[in-house]
């Protein structure tokens, strides 16, 4: 069980690095929804949607390529230096070009120029920490990784609270703060907080840049780019699946309601973040393990067990959040005007569970260097996202976007499993995985839609599901927890 102990330890620490900052960022949701009308919060959500897309473009799959070649090549220093130089140069070129074209970009995507400038700076700083963070993960330094990640969001949170809540109050007693306070500047303050936090993160990672040897291997770079390009395509498709629904809602609905719809949809979407936190933490911990363990003769069986564990925990989280959705909405979203979109939560939770399963299943194309399949599958998901959004948004508004998200991620999960059987067979326990999924979905439907979150029904359903999980997995869980 030594491998699983190490895996779960790293997954827990990486998960902590993801969960704690995101849990802190939960405080921003009631803060934003308290201070900003639904349409203003909608604007912020649309801008962050573009963030996701451009973060993927600026990374262009180099992080995944770094992991693959760092474990594959004998000269690891060359892999580090080549990938670092590549991202440094591309980031600077983007930064200069974007600043020069900021007015045209603002007009194209209908966002104010001052917001665009702040976004460009944040994107640059975020791109420059990609390889340093990947290096920490590859060298199994999860604690340092976690401290830096948590510090980033703690600074972001602190500045948001100070600039949005306390600054206006303090200007009455501390006159020098008048320099910082500007009326109707809330959205700018949000991005300024993000900018300062990103700058501090880069500062903490500067030692990485001072210690590496700057040597660019052109042939290695070509091989890395060949590996990375399908990952880039998959990443762009993923960003479409993940965030384009907000952008499409803003364009496909009438102007007088579009930003309001984006605002309420984005706020309620946050409640499904519990599943995202779990899946992301699991993926961050497990991705280096997948590559390191790929040459072991027992790798397929090990991957199968890991996926079963993921589904077991994920289905429990799905049902638990749905059972507790109403207390959670009161805790996270204080303004009742946002609650109208609460009916999307079960679908978004299930969609993100499917996405997490997909990431576990995707091991087959990553370790066999068939990353093009990741691109194919993600593109199919993106096409489904776009088609369903275009068809459903005009009639069902944000509910159509939720259905599209579930359809896209569910399809990606099934496609990855189907092709994986051919190219890298893994003996998944389909009976248990399928049973956990089906039972959790049935219990969720009963709890949320049929009995309308009646706790006399919902709590026993949740407890019953936990008993089912324990009955089937108690031996292995006892072994892991005991050690």
């Amino acid at each position: 069980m030594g491998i699983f102990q190490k895996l779960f330890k790293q997954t827990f620490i990486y998960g902590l690095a993801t969960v704690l900052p995101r849990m802190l960022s939960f405080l921003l949701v009631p803060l934003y929804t308290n201070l900003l009308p639904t349409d203003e919060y909608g604007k912020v959500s649309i801008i962050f949607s573009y963030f996701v897309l451009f973060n993927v473009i600026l990374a262009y799959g180099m992080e995944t390529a770094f992991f693959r070649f760092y474990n594959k090549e004998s000269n690891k220093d060359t892999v580090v230096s080549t990938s670092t130089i590549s991202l440094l140069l591309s980031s600077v070129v983007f930064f200069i070009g974007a600043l020069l074209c900021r007015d045209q970009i603002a007009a194209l995507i209908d966002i104010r120029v001052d917001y665009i400038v702040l976004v460009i700076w944040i994107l640059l700083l975020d791109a420059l920490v990609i390889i340093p963070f990947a290096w920490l993960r590859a060298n199994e330094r999860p604690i340092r990784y976690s401290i830096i990640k948590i510090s980033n969001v703690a600074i972001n949170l602190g500045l948001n609270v100070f600039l949005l809540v306390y600054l206006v109050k303090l200007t009455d007693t501390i006159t020098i703060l008048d320099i910082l306070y500007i009326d109707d500047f809330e959205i700018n303050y949000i991005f300024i907080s993000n900018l300062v936090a990103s700058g501090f993160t880069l500062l903490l990672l500067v030692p990485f840049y001072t210690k590496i040897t700057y040597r660019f291997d052109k042939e290695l770079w070509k091989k890395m780019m060949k590996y990375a390009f399908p990952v880039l395509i998959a990443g762009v498709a993923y960003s479409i699946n993940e965030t384009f629904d907000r952008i499409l809602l803003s364009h496909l609905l009438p102007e007088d309601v579009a930003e309001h719809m984006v605002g309420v949809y984005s706020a309620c979407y946050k409640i499904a973040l519990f599943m995202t936190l779990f899946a992301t933490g699991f993926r961050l911990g497990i991705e280096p393990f997948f590559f390191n363990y790929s040459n072991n003769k027992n790798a397929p069986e090990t991957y199968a067990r890991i996926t079963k564990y993921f589904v077991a925990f994920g289905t429990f989280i799905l049902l638990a959040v749905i059972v507790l959705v109403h207390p959670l909405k009161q805790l996270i979203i204080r303004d009742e005007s946002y609650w109208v979109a609460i009916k999307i939560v079960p679908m978004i939770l299930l969609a993100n569970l499917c996405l997490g399963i997909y990431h576990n299943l995707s091991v087959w194309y990553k370790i066999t260097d068939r990353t093009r399949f990741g691109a194919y599958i993600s593109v199919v998901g993106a096409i489904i996202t776009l088609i369903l959004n275009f068809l459903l948004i005009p009639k069902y508004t944000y509910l159509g976007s939720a259905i599209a998200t579930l359809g896209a991620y569910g399809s990606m999960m099934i496609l990855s499993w189907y092709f994986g059987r051919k190219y890298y067979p893994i003996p998944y326990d389909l009976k248990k995985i399928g049973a956990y999924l089906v039972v959790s979905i049935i219990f969720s439907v009963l709890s949320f839609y049929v009995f309308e979150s009646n706790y006399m029904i919902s709590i026993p359903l949740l407890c019953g599901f936990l008993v089912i999980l324990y009955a089937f997995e108690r031996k292995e869980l006892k072994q892991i927890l005991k050690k």
Side-chain angles (χ1 to χ4, degrees):
M1 295 300 293
I3 289 171
F4 287 97
Q5 292 173 45
K6 182 178 179 181
L7 170 64
F8 279 100
K9 178 183 177 182
Q10 289 200 13
T11 299
F12 175 77
I13 297 174
Y14 283 122
L16 199 65
T18 305
V19 171
L20 286 183
R22 297 288 183 88
M23 288 301 290
L24 288 173
S25 73
F26 260 141
L27 297 175
L28 294 176
V29 180
L31 177 64
Y32 292 164
T33 53
N34 253 344
L35 293 175
L36 302 176
T38 54
D39 58 337
E40 289 293 297
Y41 185 65
K43 290 178 184 177
V44 174
S45 301
I46 292 167
I47 295 171
F48 275 113
S49 297
Y50 284 111
F51 256 118
V52 174
L53 174 61
F54 281 97
N55 275 328
V56 168
I57 293 172
L58 288 175
Y60 52 87
M62 189 55 71
E63 181 184 31
T64 303
F66 172 86
F67 281 122
R68 180 57 175 163
F69 286 86
Y70 191 81
N71 289 286
K72 184 179 180 181
E73 298 288 323
S74 57
N75 192 339
K76 299 183 186 302
D77 290 339
T78 304
V79 175
V80 174
S81 62
T82 300
S83 55
T84 301
I85 292 169
S86 179
L87 272 171
L88 271 171
L89 292 175
S90 60
S91 300
V92 171
V93 169
F94 160 81
F95 175 73
I96 295 172
L99 277 184
L100 291 174
C101 301
R102 59 187 181 275
D103 293 322
Q104 291 84 349
I105 296 172
L108 179 64
I109 60 178
D110 193 25
I111 293 175
R112 281 171 40 175
V113 176
D114 52 335
Y115 301 162
I116 292 293
V117 172
L118 290 170
V119 167
I120 291 169
W121 274 100
I122 295 167
L123 287 170
L124 170 69
L125 296 177
D126 288 350
L128 294 179
V129 299
I130 291 172
I131 297 301
F133 273 132
W135 184 86
L136 289 175
R137 289 172 59 198
N139 285 274
E140 298 182 354
R141 298 189 183 180
I143 294 178
R144 179 169 172 76
Y145 177 95
S146 301
I147 290 171
I148 297 174
K149 284 283 188 179
I150 292 170
S151 299
N152 173 285
V153 182
I155 291 171
N156 196 343
L157 172 66
L159 283 173
N160 267 281
V161 173
F162 172 73
L163 293 173
L164 294 174
V165 179
Y166 291 105
L167 180 60
V168 64
K169 298 177 182 178
L170 291 173
T171 51
D172 295 333
T173 55
I174 307 174
T175 54
I176 194 173
L177 292 178
D178 287 338
I179 301 171
L180 298 177
Y181 180 71
I182 303 173
D183 282 327
D184 194 26
F185 209 63
E186 288 84 2
I187 295 179
N188 296 76
Y189 285 143
I190 291 170
F191 293 114
I192 289 170
S193 302
N194 200 321
L195 176 62
V196 174
S198 295
F200 182 77
T201 300
L202 179 59
L203 188 64
L204 292 178
L205 292 168
V206 163
F208 167 85
Y209 283 101
T210 61
K211 291 178 181 178
I212 66 174
T213 303
Y214 288 89
R215 179 177 176 272
F216 188 79
D217 187 325
K218 187 177 179 180
E219 293 304 315
L220 173 62
W221 181 79
K222 288 180 179 178
K223 289 190 289 185
M224 293 182 76
M225 288 300 295
K226 183 179 179 180
Y227 183 91
F229 183 72
V231 179
L232 167 62
I233 301 301
V236 171
Y238 165 77
S239 68
I240 291 173
N241 294 330
E242 184 68 12
T243 62
F244 244 58
D245 48 5
R246 281 78 154 182
I247 296 170
L248 291 174
L249 280 167
S250 68
H251 286 87
L252 295 176
L253 294 175
E255 285 187 23
D256 58 331
V257 298
E259 289 178 348
H260 163 75
M261 291 293 187
V262 175
V264 297
Y265 175 72
S266 299
C268 289
Y269 201 105
K270 290 287 186 182
I271 299 176
L273 191 61
F274 289 100
M275 184 65 73
T276 306
L277 295 175
F278 165 66
T280 303
F282 200 93
R283 181 177 61 82
L284 288 173
I286 209 170
E287 192 170 54
F289 170 82
F290 277 157
F291 287 116
N292 293 336
Y293 200 68
S294 59
N295 293 324
N296 190 290
K297 65 178 182 179
N298 295 321
E301 290 76 15
T302 302
Y303 297 155
R305 292 172 68 191
I306 290 169
T307 300
K308 184 184 67 172
Y309 294 147
F310 176 86
V311 175
F313 284 114
T315 49
F316 174 73
I317 292 171
L318 168 72
L319 183 56
V321 174
I322 290 174
V323 167
L324 301 173
V325 68
H326 293 297
L328 288 172
K329 79 179 181 186
Q330 294 172 356
L331 177 67
I332 299 167
I333 308 168
R334 302 293 175 82
D335 188 340
E336 294 184 14
S337 64
Y338 286 85
W339 294 356
V340 66
I342 199 67
K343 55 190 173 184
I344 70 164
V345 173
M347 284 179 282
I348 298 300
L349 278 166
L350 181 57
N352 281 302
L353 175 59
C354 291
L355 179 62
I357 297 172
Y358 164 75
H359 283 308
N360 278 270
L361 298 175
S362 68
V363 61
W364 70 267
Y365 66 72
K366 290 181 179 178
I367 64 175
T368 60
D369 293 343
R370 291 185 172 91
T371 52
R372 66 184 186 278
F373 278 93
Y376 299 155
I377 294 170
S378 295
V379 167
V380 170
I383 292 171
I384 292 172
T385 295
L386 294 173
I387 291 174
L388 290 180
N389 270 292
F390 274 106
L391 291 176
L392 299 177
I393 284 176
K395 184 174 181 180
Y396 300 105
T397 65
Y398 47 74
L399 187 60
S401 292
I403 295 170
T405 303
L406 177 57
Y409 290 153
S411 300
M412 290 167 61
M413 175 186 69
I414 293 169
L415 286 172
S416 185
W417 168 76
Y418 177 80
F419 287 112
R421 293 188 308 166
K422 177 179 179 181
Y423 294 101
Y424 190 84
I426 296 175
Y428 295 115
D429 191 341
L430 296 180
K431 289 184 178 179
K432 282 189 178 180
I433 290 173
Y436 296 155
L437 280 170
V438 170
V439 173
S440 67
I441 292 170
I442 291 173
F443 283 8
S444 297
V445 170
L446 290 173
S447 172
F448 189 83
Y449 295 107
V450 178
F451 294 102
E452 298 179 345
S453 300
N454 184 327
Y455 293 132
M456 297 296 291
I457 304 295
S458 299
I459 298 297
L461 287 175
L462 179 61
C463 294
F465 187 70
L466 191 59
V467 169
I468 291 171
L469 290 179
Y470 182 77
F472 283 104
E473 306 296 340
R474 63 181 181 275
K475 291 182 180 179
E476 290 182 332
L477 286 174
K478 281 183 178 179
Q479 286 179 305
I480 293 170
L481 295 174
K482 183 179 179 181
K483 296 185 179 183

